[in-house]
């Protein structure tokens, strides 16, 4: 029986830089939302955040659960408008 090959592992230097970058992404997202009544739209415009990759797996769990992938920017914009209109205190409802 032939043993299955292990998937290739990223080089330690690449892994280091991915970790460093993802730490910054997680911190930036966290700074945008500081309070239960805060609302923010953070657009992660890279397919690696949606696909199950080394990048997406390093997003904080609460961020990963909140991702809403869109096929294009128009769909994304429509989702944002609907989201902010659904918030009673939103300036979009004034």
């Amino acid at each position: 029986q032939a043993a299955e090959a292990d998937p290739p592992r990223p080089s330690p230097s690449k892994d280091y830089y991915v970790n460093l970058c993802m730490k910054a992404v997680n911190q930036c997202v966290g700074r945008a939302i500081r309070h239960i009544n805060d609302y923010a739209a953070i657009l992660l415009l890279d397919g690696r955040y949606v696909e199950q990759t080394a990048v997406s797996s390093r997003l904080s769990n609460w961020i990963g659960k909140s991702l809403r992938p869109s096929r294009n920017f128009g769909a994304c914009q429509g989702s944002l408008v609907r989201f902010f209109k659904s918030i009673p205190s939103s300036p979009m409802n004034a």
Side-chain angles (χ1 to χ4, degrees):
Q1 290 180 351
E4 290 187 31
D6 290 333
R9 294 195 33 85
S11 70
S13 60
K14 181 176 181 178
D15 204 39
Y16 170 78
Y17 284 112
V18 170
N19 282 332
L20 192 63
C21 291
M22 293 311 298
K23 179 181 178 184
V25 169
N26 285 311
Q27 286 177 335
C28 288
V29 172
R31 286 186 183 124
I33 303 170
R34 305 292 290 199
H35 184 272
I36 195 166
N37 292 323
D38 285 347
Y39 298 93
I42 295 120
L43 306 179
L44 302 172
L45 302 174
D46 191 315
R48 292 175 291 184
Y49 292 111
V50 178
E51 300 162 1
Q52 197 56 32
T53 65
V55 171
S56 65
S57 67
R58 288 179 171 95
L59 285 171
S60 294
N61 287 335
W62 70 271
I63 297 169
K65 291 176 185 176
S66 300
L67 288 179
R68 300 293 179 263
S70 295
R71 293 181 187 261
N72 57 52
F73 186 74
C76 177
Q77 184 179 21
S79 293
L80 287 171
V81 169
R82 286 188 298 281
F83 171 75
F84 282 106
K85 281 188 174 183
S86 74
I87 301 168
S89 61
S90 172
M92 294 183 80
N93 293 325

